[in-house]
Amino acid sequence: MTLALRRLARLTLFVAFLSGSALAQSAGRLAGTATEADTGTPLAGVNVVLGTGRNAVTRPDGRFEISGIPPGTYTVRISSVGYRPLVQSVAVAAGTTRLDLVLTPGNAEIGEVVVEGRATNLVGVATAASEGLVGQEQLALRPLLRVGEVLETIPGTIVTQHSGSGKANQFFLRGFNLDHGTDFSATLDGVPMNLPTHAHGQGYLDLNSLIPEIIDQVAFEKGPQNVAAGDFSTAGRADIRLVRRLDRTIVKAEAGADDFYEGLVAGSSSVGGGDLLIAARGRYYDGPWVNPENSALASAVAKYSTGTEANGLSVTALGYYSDWDATDQIARRAVEAGTVDRLGALDPTNGGTTGRYTLSAATQSTTQSGARTRVEAYAAVYHLNLFSNFTYFLDDPDQGDQFEQADRRLYTGGGVSHRWLMPTLGQGAVHTVGVDVRHDQIFGVGLFNTQGRVRVGTVRDDEVAQSTVGVYVRNETRWTNWLRTTAGLRADVYRFDVQSDIDVNSGVETDVIASPKVGLALGPWRSTEVYANAGLGFHSNDARGTTITVDPSSREAVDRVDPLVRTRGAELGLRTAALPGLQATVALWAIGLDSELLFVGDAGGTEASDASLHVGVEVTNHARVTDWLDATLDVALTESRFTDVGEADRIENSIGRIVTGGVYAGRETGPMGALQVRHFGPRPLTGDGSVTADATTLVNAKAGWRFGALAVSLDVLNLLDADDADVSYFYASRLRGEPAEGVEDVHFHPVIPRTTRLTALVRL
């Protein structure tokens, strides 16, 4: 803890330096409003960028301000999704200079609108230090090994894999081993991607369907402090939004080592007064494994949009299918004895198939007074058949321990929110009320014993109907130029109906939970703002655990789990844009859970565990060095422990140190490139900390050239050819010829050795 305090002191000095370095000279202030030309509607989320790189984003009432500007004449760029960009000159004098903006609905030519992403100045707009935006600009220059690494643009997040590439990724954030989701939620164009009561793990989050080239932005938050954040959002959440229109058709071909081939076609056309976006992506990959993956993936999107973001309608259809053979984590002793290659498999018949097909619609209307109503609805069909073998011959020395986890479901839902302004309260207030509903009709969620993907026995096979309703209210008030508050309350009702193949494990369970949230923002002073946030949250447990009576294998009596588990979060933070071009944040946070969800390596799923506490500090930096060069450096330090369990209080695979950063260069034409590093430190594999996994450090690079409409680039992934592990576990397994009780050992999944991928992308 002494070391942690020293690190925190250094961070505090760093923040003080940033704040104190702001120009103290007599400076001007640029302020105004942004409205829609046709209706006079105040526009939120409009990006106003000075030629120096300083910028602001309009608030819900359309107002913005940029302070601390040296007097002079500046070029100002104004952009917002669904509106034509503006570029104009403004003379800023000492005092306040007024700049009112009127935006015309329309579509910008490619290259005209710059999606600022992490370069966006959220001082005066954000309600917490740990929230932010990632734009297409950051995604386009980032070398990606897997599409799930889109979430690694969120500071402090690590995305890995312990199996075949068709399986959902493994996520780590704020000391949580999030397995394949659990306490991190994501939505794609309004459709929740986490799956409760899932065959493999609670809150299973599969993002392999993403097409990065058509992502408009990723808005992220950490902690349970937002009332809009419901289940699976304790560590954080991401709202992924697709573009409404591409002004040029994209054709991409990519090929790389280990039989990697990928193609993409995406484009838009005008249909019936609206825009129809169609995109299709296909991929084949064997990987470096001794047992080839034979991974085939297809993903497609069709999105029809009319009107604008403020007043419009969108309908989106997504389809995704994947089939693969898997090289799961392997026992270290087998590699050391030469029984299997480091890139080999101990059960080459592992793998799976999965698919998801969704249809969603969203409509939004905004009045001239700024009142906004948004309605969303969705329906999705999902299936998974996953074959794994983590213990080899421990349970069944003859046929082996392979098992199948099967999931088939239809889930539907939607939400309605209404926001209105109250200018008479303080300097203005925004009130929001909303309701979310969801129903999962799970036709089959089962666990089966298999050999070579053929079922030889049934452990359990259940049907589940799970329904939830969440309602929330929120108020954000700007009391003075330097004081904003947020306060809200969320209430959720859950109903679980389990029909088990073991009658005594069937039943109906309901639960209700209320979660208040509060926040405070002080500033800005010298483009610096201070935040304090606190809130209660929750996560749900697997419905089958709420009605269980006997273990499906041993038939021994077992205890039921609580349907909804209380979580708590608090954060103190600072955000500054005091130095031109630099967006920096510091957050000191704590999250407590009444029960941690943990991945159990030898069972291939998650289970409810003991109460826990996570405490940490995050420092993020994004610098726009020039108009063609960006740099990032993000550091997250965390201490995580179970509470009230004695000395063996370590949380397995809780990462205490994450460092990510990079430099990204490029203009619309000419050279482009990126060099980025991702490091996550040692982590305990046992409760007493006696067994640990070593740190993992990877460097990825991209180099290329943009020849107008054509862009050619080469990605070098794992540039230094590190032989680290992506994921490690410690548990007992049994190889042929070993004692019946098995051998406790480290089981690991190696990082992919250095590999290259060549991409050609044409915009027609």
Side-chain angles (χ1 to χ4, degrees), residues 171-213:
F171 305 97
F172 297 87
L173 174 67
R174 288 198 162 183
F176 286 80
N177 171 15
L178 295 166
D179 186 33
H180 304 287
T182 60
D183 284 294
F184 186 91
S185 69
T187 58
L188 178 58
D189 254 19
V191 179
M193 302 299 284
N194 297 75
L195 299 175
T197 311
H198 187 270
H200 183 64
Q202 179 70 342
Y204 189 81
L205 175 60
D206 184 356
L207 296 178
N208 285 309
S209 62
L210 290 179
I211 302 176
E213 290 81 2

mmCIF file of all heavy atoms in Angstrom, residues 171-213:
data_model
loop_
_atom_site.group_PDB
_atom_site.id
_atom_site.type_symbol
_atom_site.label_atom_id
_atom_site.label_comp_id
_atom_site.label_asym_id
_atom_site.label_seq_id
_atom_site.Cartn_x
_atom_site.Cartn_y
_atom_site.Cartn_z
ATOM 1 N N PHE A 171 -12.095 -10.581 -21.125
ATOM 2 C CA PHE A 171 -11.912 -9.158 -20.856
ATOM 3 C C PHE A 171 -11.393 -8.946 -19.434
ATOM 4 O O PHE A 171 -11.797 -9.643 -18.498
ATOM 5 C CB PHE A 171 -13.241 -8.406 -21.021
ATOM 6 C CG PHE A 171 -13.897 -8.618 -22.358
ATOM 7 C CD1 PHE A 171 -14.899 -9.557 -22.520
ATOM 8 C CD2 PHE A 171 -13.500 -7.882 -23.463
ATOM 9 C CE1 PHE A 171 -15.504 -9.768 -23.746
ATOM 10 C CE2 PHE A 171 -14.096 -8.078 -24.701
ATOM 11 C CZ PHE A 171 -15.104 -9.022 -24.841
ATOM 12 N N PHE A 172 -10.511 -7.957 -19.290
ATOM 13 C CA PHE A 172 -9.968 -7.582 -17.991
ATOM 14 C C PHE A 172 -10.051 -6.064 -17.857
ATOM 15 O O PHE A 172 -9.625 -5.317 -18.747
ATOM 16 C CB PHE A 172 -8.509 -8.018 -17.858
ATOM 17 C CG PHE A 172 -8.312 -9.508 -17.923
ATOM 18 C CD1 PHE A 172 -8.153 -10.144 -19.141
ATOM 19 C CD2 PHE A 172 -8.281 -10.271 -16.769
ATOM 20 C CE1 PHE A 172 -7.972 -11.516 -19.220
ATOM 21 C CE2 PHE A 172 -8.102 -11.646 -16.828
ATOM 22 C CZ PHE A 172 -7.950 -12.274 -18.055
ATOM 23 N N LEU A 173 -10.598 -5.588 -16.735
ATOM 24 C CA LEU A 173 -10.750 -4.160 -16.486
ATOM 25 C C LEU A 173 -10.914 -3.928 -14.993
ATOM 26 O O LEU A 173 -11.660 -4.649 -14.325
ATOM 27 C CB LEU A 173 -11.972 -3.610 -17.239
ATOM 28 C CG LEU A 173 -12.355 -2.159 -16.984
ATOM 29 C CD1 LEU A 173 -11.293 -1.212 -17.533
ATOM 30 C CD2 LEU A 173 -13.720 -1.833 -17.608
ATOM 31 N N ARG A 174 -10.201 -2.936 -14.471
ATOM 32 C CA ARG A 174 -10.324 -2.524 -13.067
ATOM 33 C C ARG A 174 -10.182 -3.682 -12.083
ATOM 34 O O ARG A 174 -10.930 -3.784 -11.105
ATOM 35 C CB ARG A 174 -11.639 -1.780 -12.854
ATOM 36 C CG ARG A 174 -11.630 -0.395 -13.472
ATOM 37 C CD ARG A 174 -12.694 0.519 -12.938
ATOM 38 N NE ARG A 174 -12.371 1.921 -13.229
ATOM 39 C CZ ARG A 174 -13.088 2.960 -12.837
ATOM 40 N NH1 ARG A 174 -14.187 2.759 -12.125
ATOM 41 N NH2 ARG A 174 -12.702 4.191 -13.128
ATOM 42 N N GLY A 175 -9.245 -4.562 -12.351
ATOM 43 C CA GLY A 175 -8.998 -5.668 -11.444
ATOM 44 C C GLY A 175 -9.976 -6.816 -11.568
ATOM 45 O O GLY A 175 -9.840 -7.820 -10.863
ATOM 46 N N PHE A 176 -10.956 -6.693 -12.464
ATOM 47 C CA PHE A 176 -11.924 -7.761 -12.670
ATOM 48 C C PHE A 176 -11.398 -8.718 -13.735
ATOM 49 O O PHE A 176 -10.972 -8.299 -14.810
ATOM 50 C CB PHE A 176 -13.262 -7.202 -13.157
ATOM 51 C CG PHE A 176 -14.068 -6.498 -12.114
ATOM 52 C CD1 PHE A 176 -13.781 -5.182 -11.760
ATOM 53 C CD2 PHE A 176 -15.133 -7.129 -11.494
ATOM 54 C CE1 PHE A 176 -14.526 -4.520 -10.805
ATOM 55 C CE2 PHE A 176 -15.889 -6.476 -10.542
ATOM 56 C CZ PHE A 176 -15.582 -5.171 -10.186
ATOM 57 N N ASN A 177 -11.439 -10.016 -13.427
ATOM 58 C CA ASN A 177 -11.340 -11.024 -14.467
ATOM 59 C C ASN A 177 -12.756 -11.203 -14.992
ATOM 60 O O ASN A 177 -13.560 -11.949 -14.434
ATOM 61 C CB ASN A 177 -10.795 -12.335 -13.901
ATOM 62 C CG ASN A 177 -10.883 -13.476 -14.902
ATOM 63 O OD1 ASN A 177 -11.092 -13.265 -16.090
ATOM 64 N ND2 ASN A 177 -10.737 -14.702 -14.423
ATOM 65 N N LEU A 178 -13.066 -10.481 -16.064
ATOM 66 C CA LEU A 178 -14.445 -10.403 -16.535
ATOM 67 C C LEU A 178 -14.867 -11.627 -17.337
ATOM 68 O O LEU A 178 -15.984 -11.651 -17.859
ATOM 69 C CB LEU A 178 -14.624 -9.147 -17.389
ATOM 70 C CG LEU A 178 -14.454 -7.822 -16.627
ATOM 71 C CD1 LEU A 178 -14.310 -6.661 -17.601
ATOM 72 C CD2 LEU A 178 -15.629 -7.589 -15.694
ATOM 73 N N ASP A 179 -13.978 -12.611 -17.443
ATOM 74 C CA ASP A 179 -14.252 -13.784 -18.253
ATOM 75 C C ASP A 179 -14.748 -13.317 -19.624
ATOM 76 O O ASP A 179 -14.101 -12.539 -20.288
ATOM 77 C CB ASP A 179 -15.246 -14.701 -17.540
ATOM 78 C CG ASP A 179 -15.460 -16.019 -18.280
ATOM 79 O OD1 ASP A 179 -14.499 -16.503 -18.898
ATOM 80 O OD2 ASP A 179 -16.578 -16.546 -18.266
ATOM 81 N N HIS A 180 -15.931 -13.710 -20.011
ATOM 82 C CA HIS A 180 -16.463 -13.305 -21.314
ATOM 83 C C HIS A 180 -17.562 -12.251 -21.161
ATOM 84 O O HIS A 180 -18.442 -12.136 -22.027
ATOM 85 C CB HIS A 180 -16.999 -14.530 -22.057
ATOM 86 C CG HIS A 180 -15.985 -15.611 -22.225
ATOM 87 N ND1 HIS A 180 -14.931 -15.515 -23.114
ATOM 88 C CD2 HIS A 180 -15.823 -16.799 -21.604
ATOM 89 C CE1 HIS A 180 -14.187 -16.603 -23.038
ATOM 90 N NE2 HIS A 180 -14.702 -17.401 -22.119
ATOM 91 N N GLY A 181 -17.532 -11.460 -20.115
ATOM 92 C CA GLY A 181 -18.532 -10.423 -19.929
ATOM 93 C C GLY A 181 -18.750 -10.110 -18.467
ATOM 94 O O GLY A 181 -18.224 -9.144 -17.937
ATOM 95 N N THR A 182 -19.528 -10.905 -17.774
ATOM 96 C CA THR A 182 -19.914 -10.770 -16.360
ATOM 97 C C THR A 182 -20.226 -9.337 -15.977
ATOM 98 O O THR A 182 -21.375 -8.935 -16.063
ATOM 99 C CB THR A 182 -18.861 -11.381 -15.419
ATOM 100 O OG1 THR A 182 -17.612 -10.739 -15.576
ATOM 101 C CG2 THR A 182 -18.696 -12.872 -15.683
ATOM 102 N N ASP A 183 -19.236 -8.527 -15.577
ATOM 103 C CA ASP A 183 -19.523 -7.188 -15.067
ATOM 104 C C ASP A 183 -19.132 -6.077 -16.036
ATOM 105 O O ASP A 183 -18.891 -4.945 -15.630
ATOM 106 C CB ASP A 183 -18.810 -6.982 -13.729
ATOM 107 C CG ASP A 183 -19.521 -7.715 -12.606
ATOM 108 O OD1 ASP A 183 -20.661 -7.343 -12.289
ATOM 109 O OD2 ASP A 183 -18.958 -8.683 -12.060
ATOM 110 N N PHE A 184 -19.064 -6.377 -17.328
ATOM 111 C CA PHE A 184 -18.881 -5.350 -18.353
ATOM 112 C C PHE A 184 -19.939 -5.566 -19.430
ATOM 113 O O PHE A 184 -20.069 -6.661 -19.983
ATOM 114 C CB PHE A 184 -17.485 -5.425 -18.975
ATOM 115 C CG PHE A 184 -17.208 -4.299 -19.936
ATOM 116 C CD1 PHE A 184 -16.627 -3.129 -19.484
ATOM 117 C CD2 PHE A 184 -17.555 -4.399 -21.271
ATOM 118 C CE1 PHE A 184 -16.391 -2.070 -20.362
ATOM 119 C CE2 PHE A 184 -17.327 -3.357 -22.146
ATOM 120 C CZ PHE A 184 -16.740 -2.188 -21.692
ATOM 121 N N SER A 185 -20.707 -4.530 -19.733
ATOM 122 C CA SER A 185 -21.788 -4.666 -20.702
ATOM 123 C C SER A 185 -21.477 -3.883 -21.968
ATOM 124 O O SER A 185 -20.728 -2.903 -21.952
ATOM 125 C CB SER A 185 -23.118 -4.178 -20.108
ATOM 126 O OG SER A 185 -23.098 -2.773 -19.915
ATOM 127 N N ALA A 186 -22.063 -4.330 -23.065
ATOM 128 C CA ALA A 186 -21.896 -3.643 -24.343
ATOM 129 C C ALA A 186 -23.196 -3.719 -25.123
ATOM 130 O O ALA A 186 -23.925 -4.723 -25.067
ATOM 131 C CB ALA A 186 -20.757 -4.254 -25.152
ATOM 132 N N THR A 187 -23.482 -2.645 -25.858
ATOM 133 C CA THR A 187 -24.607 -2.622 -26.779
ATOM 134 C C THR A 187 -24.091 -2.280 -28.166
ATOM 135 O O THR A 187 -23.113 -1.549 -28.323
ATOM 136 C CB THR A 187 -25.672 -1.591 -26.363
ATOM 137 O OG1 THR A 187 -25.064 -0.280 -26.292
ATOM 138 C CG2 THR A 187 -26.263 -1.926 -25.008
ATOM 139 N N LEU A 188 -24.743 -2.801 -29.187
ATOM 140 C CA LEU A 188 -24.403 -2.523 -30.576
ATOM 141 C C LEU A 188 -25.636 -1.951 -31.259
ATOM 142 O O LEU A 188 -26.620 -2.647 -31.461
ATOM 143 C CB LEU A 188 -23.936 -3.798 -31.273
ATOM 144 C CG LEU A 188 -23.577 -3.677 -32.763
ATOM 145 C CD1 LEU A 188 -22.482 -2.647 -32.981
ATOM 146 C CD2 LEU A 188 -23.157 -5.026 -33.321
ATOM 147 N N ASP A 189 -25.573 -0.669 -31.569
ATOM 148 C CA ASP A 189 -26.728 0.046 -32.123
ATOM 149 C C ASP A 189 -27.980 -0.193 -31.284
ATOM 150 O O ASP A 189 -29.076 -0.419 -31.807
ATOM 151 C CB ASP A 189 -26.963 -0.348 -33.577
ATOM 152 C CG ASP A 189 -26.537 0.757 -34.538
ATOM 153 O OD1 ASP A 189 -25.750 1.633 -34.130
ATOM 154 O OD2 ASP A 189 -26.989 0.762 -35.697
ATOM 155 N N GLY A 190 -27.812 -0.153 -29.971
ATOM 156 C CA GLY A 190 -28.927 -0.265 -29.054
ATOM 157 C C GLY A 190 -29.290 -1.677 -28.649
ATOM 158 O O GLY A 190 -30.129 -1.862 -27.752
ATOM 159 N N VAL A 191 -28.683 -2.691 -29.251
ATOM 160 C CA VAL A 191 -28.995 -4.086 -28.922
ATOM 161 C C VAL A 191 -28.018 -4.580 -27.864
ATOM 162 O O VAL A 191 -26.799 -4.552 -28.091
ATOM 163 C CB VAL A 191 -28.911 -4.984 -30.166
ATOM 164 C CG1 VAL A 191 -29.208 -6.443 -29.793
ATOM 165 C CG2 VAL A 191 -29.865 -4.498 -31.246
ATOM 166 N N PRO A 192 -28.489 -5.022 -26.694
ATOM 167 C CA PRO A 192 -27.564 -5.559 -25.680
ATOM 168 C C PRO A 192 -26.916 -6.840 -26.182
ATOM 169 O O PRO A 192 -27.582 -7.737 -26.692
ATOM 170 C CB PRO A 192 -28.461 -5.806 -24.464
ATOM 171 C CG PRO A 192 -29.849 -5.863 -24.992
ATOM 172 C CD PRO A 192 -29.883 -5.029 -26.224
ATOM 173 N N MET A 193 -25.586 -6.924 -26.007
ATOM 174 C CA MET A 193 -24.840 -8.075 -26.502
ATOM 175 C C MET A 193 -24.556 -9.106 -25.409
ATOM 176 O O MET A 193 -24.208 -10.244 -25.713
ATOM 177 C CB MET A 193 -23.523 -7.602 -27.126
ATOM 178 C CG MET A 193 -23.698 -6.599 -28.261
ATOM 179 S SD MET A 193 -24.631 -7.278 -29.651
ATOM 180 C CE MET A 193 -23.387 -8.317 -30.405
ATOM 181 N N ASN A 194 -24.677 -8.729 -24.140
ATOM 182 C CA ASN A 194 -24.470 -9.690 -23.051
ATOM 183 C C ASN A 194 -25.655 -10.639 -22.960
ATOM 184 O O ASN A 194 -26.808 -10.224 -23.146
ATOM 185 C CB ASN A 194 -24.307 -8.970 -21.719
ATOM 186 C CG ASN A 194 -23.086 -8.088 -21.682
ATOM 187 O OD1 ASN A 194 -23.077 -7.018 -22.280
ATOM 188 N ND2 ASN A 194 -22.062 -8.508 -20.959
ATOM 189 N N LEU A 195 -25.370 -11.890 -22.631
ATOM 190 C CA LEU A 195 -26.408 -12.913 -22.549
ATOM 191 C C LEU A 195 -26.463 -13.488 -21.137
ATOM 192 O O LEU A 195 -25.513 -14.129 -20.685
ATOM 193 C CB LEU A 195 -26.133 -14.029 -23.554
ATOM 194 C CG LEU A 195 -26.116 -13.584 -25.022
ATOM 195 C CD1 LEU A 195 -25.708 -14.745 -25.919
ATOM 196 C CD2 LEU A 195 -27.471 -13.026 -25.447
ATOM 197 N N PRO A 196 -27.580 -13.276 -20.413
ATOM 198 C CA PRO A 196 -27.723 -13.855 -19.068
ATOM 199 C C PRO A 196 -28.076 -15.333 -19.153
ATOM 200 O O PRO A 196 -28.591 -15.815 -20.162
ATOM 201 C CB PRO A 196 -28.879 -13.037 -18.478
ATOM 202 C CG PRO A 196 -29.714 -12.672 -19.670
ATOM 203 C CD PRO A 196 -28.742 -12.462 -20.802
ATOM 204 N N THR A 197 -27.798 -16.057 -18.050
ATOM 205 C CA THR A 197 -28.105 -17.487 -17.975
ATOM 206 C C THR A 197 -27.586 -18.187 -19.225
ATOM 207 O O THR A 197 -28.307 -18.908 -19.907
ATOM 208 C CB THR A 197 -29.618 -17.715 -17.777
ATOM 209 O OG1 THR A 197 -30.096 -16.883 -16.722
ATOM 210 C CG2 THR A 197 -29.926 -19.163 -17.434
ATOM 211 N N HIS A 198 -26.326 -17.934 -19.532
ATOM 212 C CA HIS A 198 -25.717 -18.480 -20.741
ATOM 213 C C HIS A 198 -25.054 -19.822 -20.449
ATOM 214 O O HIS A 198 -24.593 -20.075 -19.338
ATOM 215 C CB HIS A 198 -24.694 -17.481 -21.288
ATOM 216 C CG HIS A 198 -24.133 -17.869 -22.612
ATOM 217 N ND1 HIS A 198 -22.995 -18.637 -22.749
ATOM 218 C CD2 HIS A 198 -24.560 -17.598 -23.875
ATOM 219 C CE1 HIS A 198 -22.745 -18.817 -24.037
ATOM 220 N NE2 HIS A 198 -23.674 -18.200 -24.744
ATOM 221 N N ALA A 199 -24.975 -20.661 -21.472
ATOM 222 C CA ALA A 199 -24.422 -22.004 -21.293
ATOM 223 C C ALA A 199 -22.970 -21.971 -20.836
ATOM 224 O O ALA A 199 -22.539 -22.828 -20.056
ATOM 225 C CB ALA A 199 -24.542 -22.785 -22.599
ATOM 226 N N HIS A 200 -22.175 -20.996 -21.298
ATOM 227 C CA HIS A 200 -20.752 -20.978 -20.955
ATOM 228 C C HIS A 200 -20.437 -20.087 -19.766
ATOM 229 O O HIS A 200 -19.543 -20.410 -18.983
ATOM 230 C CB HIS A 200 -19.920 -20.529 -22.154
ATOM 231 C CG HIS A 200 -18.445 -20.564 -21.884
ATOM 232 N ND1 HIS A 200 -17.754 -21.730 -21.624
ATOM 233 C CD2 HIS A 200 -17.525 -19.572 -21.802
ATOM 234 C CE1 HIS A 200 -16.483 -21.464 -21.421
ATOM 235 N NE2 HIS A 200 -16.307 -20.161 -21.511
ATOM 236 N N GLY A 201 -21.127 -18.960 -19.627
ATOM 237 C CA GLY A 201 -20.831 -18.071 -18.513
ATOM 238 C C GLY A 201 -21.827 -16.930 -18.445
ATOM 239 O O GLY A 201 -22.317 -16.450 -19.475
ATOM 240 N N GLN A 202 -22.128 -16.501 -17.245
ATOM 241 C CA GLN A 202 -23.097 -15.447 -17.021
ATOM 242 C C GLN A 202 -22.635 -14.145 -17.684
ATOM 243 O O GLN A 202 -21.509 -13.703 -17.522
ATOM 244 C CB GLN A 202 -23.303 -15.241 -15.521
ATOM 245 C CG GLN A 202 -24.268 -14.142 -15.139
ATOM 246 C CD GLN A 202 -25.721 -14.474 -15.471
ATOM 247 O OE1 GLN A 202 -26.001 -15.362 -16.263
ATOM 248 N NE2 GLN A 202 -26.637 -13.740 -14.868
ATOM 249 N N GLY A 203 -23.534 -13.538 -18.462
ATOM 250 C CA GLY A 203 -23.219 -12.281 -19.129
ATOM 251 C C GLY A 203 -22.326 -12.434 -20.341
ATOM 252 O O GLY A 203 -21.671 -11.469 -20.764
ATOM 253 N N TYR A 204 -22.284 -13.609 -20.941
ATOM 254 C CA TYR A 204 -21.425 -13.912 -22.091
ATOM 255 C C TYR A 204 -21.515 -12.807 -23.143
ATOM 256 O O TYR A 204 -22.592 -12.436 -23.592
ATOM 257 C CB TYR A 204 -21.854 -15.241 -22.674
ATOM 258 C CG TYR A 204 -20.963 -15.848 -23.732
ATOM 259 C CD1 TYR A 204 -19.819 -16.544 -23.384
ATOM 260 C CD2 TYR A 204 -21.302 -15.765 -25.078
ATOM 261 C CE1 TYR A 204 -19.018 -17.147 -24.360
ATOM 262 C CE2 TYR A 204 -20.516 -16.361 -26.055
ATOM 263 C CZ TYR A 204 -19.372 -17.047 -25.691
ATOM 264 O OH TYR A 204 -18.591 -17.641 -26.656
ATOM 265 N N LEU A 205 -20.351 -12.280 -23.545
ATOM 266 C CA LEU A 205 -20.281 -11.126 -24.445
ATOM 267 C C LEU A 205 -19.419 -11.483 -25.648
ATOM 268 O O LEU A 205 -18.195 -11.490 -25.573
ATOM 269 C CB LEU A 205 -19.695 -9.918 -23.698
ATOM 270 C CG LEU A 205 -19.437 -8.642 -24.513
ATOM 271 C CD1 LEU A 205 -20.726 -8.122 -25.139
ATOM 272 C CD2 LEU A 205 -18.801 -7.571 -23.627
ATOM 273 N N ASP A 206 -20.057 -11.752 -26.776
ATOM 274 C CA ASP A 206 -19.367 -12.111 -28.016
ATOM 275 C C ASP A 206 -19.445 -10.929 -28.981
ATOM 276 O O ASP A 206 -20.525 -10.562 -29.446
ATOM 277 C CB ASP A 206 -20.029 -13.351 -28.628
ATOM 278 C CG ASP A 206 -19.296 -13.845 -29.876
ATOM 279 O OD1 ASP A 206 -18.330 -13.189 -30.300
ATOM 280 O OD2 ASP A 206 -19.708 -14.886 -30.424
ATOM 281 N N LEU A 207 -18.279 -10.330 -29.283
ATOM 282 C CA LEU A 207 -18.212 -9.176 -30.188
ATOM 283 C C LEU A 207 -17.534 -9.528 -31.510
ATOM 284 O O LEU A 207 -17.123 -8.628 -32.253
ATOM 285 C CB LEU A 207 -17.457 -8.030 -29.511
ATOM 286 C CG LEU A 207 -18.116 -7.442 -28.263
ATOM 287 C CD1 LEU A 207 -17.239 -6.356 -27.656
ATOM 288 C CD2 LEU A 207 -19.498 -6.883 -28.585
ATOM 289 N N ASN A 208 -17.439 -10.801 -31.835
ATOM 290 C CA ASN A 208 -16.789 -11.197 -33.079
ATOM 291 C C ASN A 208 -17.564 -10.767 -34.319
ATOM 292 O O ASN A 208 -17.026 -10.818 -35.432
ATOM 293 C CB ASN A 208 -16.587 -12.712 -33.105
ATOM 294 C CG ASN A 208 -15.446 -13.152 -32.204
ATOM 295 O OD1 ASN A 208 -14.344 -12.631 -32.282
ATOM 296 N ND2 ASN A 208 -15.714 -14.117 -31.334
ATOM 297 N N SER A 209 -18.799 -10.341 -34.160
ATOM 298 C CA SER A 209 -19.594 -9.891 -35.300
ATOM 299 C C SER A 209 -19.261 -8.469 -35.733
ATOM 300 O O SER A 209 -19.732 -8.012 -36.781
ATOM 301 C CB SER A 209 -21.087 -9.967 -34.947
ATOM 302 O OG SER A 209 -21.383 -9.102 -33.849
ATOM 303 N N LEU A 210 -18.453 -7.742 -34.957
ATOM 304 C CA LEU A 210 -18.168 -6.347 -35.262
ATOM 305 C C LEU A 210 -17.463 -6.186 -36.611
ATOM 306 O O LEU A 210 -16.613 -6.996 -36.986
ATOM 307 C CB LEU A 210 -17.294 -5.724 -34.176
ATOM 308 C CG LEU A 210 -17.925 -5.484 -32.808
ATOM 309 C CD1 LEU A 210 -16.896 -4.891 -31.850
ATOM 310 C CD2 LEU A 210 -19.134 -4.575 -32.917
ATOM 311 N N ILE A 211 -17.807 -5.108 -37.298
ATOM 312 C CA ILE A 211 -17.102 -4.682 -38.502
ATOM 313 C C ILE A 211 -16.511 -3.314 -38.180
ATOM 314 O O ILE A 211 -17.208 -2.301 -38.219
ATOM 315 C CB ILE A 211 -18.043 -4.604 -39.717
ATOM 316 C CG1 ILE A 211 -18.705 -5.966 -39.959
ATOM 317 C CG2 ILE A 211 -17.287 -4.138 -40.961
ATOM 318 C CD1 ILE A 211 -19.724 -5.970 -41.093
ATOM 319 N N PRO A 212 -15.224 -3.246 -37.796
ATOM 320 C CA PRO A 212 -14.660 -1.985 -37.297
ATOM 321 C C PRO A 212 -14.782 -0.823 -38.269
ATOM 322 O O PRO A 212 -14.918 0.339 -37.849
ATOM 323 C CB PRO A 212 -13.188 -2.348 -37.048
ATOM 324 C CG PRO A 212 -13.200 -3.817 -36.789
ATOM 325 C CD PRO A 212 -14.262 -4.361 -37.696
ATOM 326 N N GLU A 213 -14.759 -1.086 -39.576
ATOM 327 C CA GLU A 213 -14.768 -0.015 -40.568
ATOM 328 C C GLU A 213 -16.072 0.767 -40.593
ATOM 329 O O GLU A 213 -16.116 1.882 -41.142
ATOM 330 C CB GLU A 213 -14.484 -0.581 -41.960
ATOM 331 C CG GLU A 213 -13.057 -1.071 -42.155
ATOM 332 C CD GLU A 213 -12.825 -2.466 -41.581
ATOM 333 O OE1 GLU A 213 -13.786 -3.082 -41.061
ATOM 334 O OE2 GLU A 213 -11.673 -2.932 -41.639
#
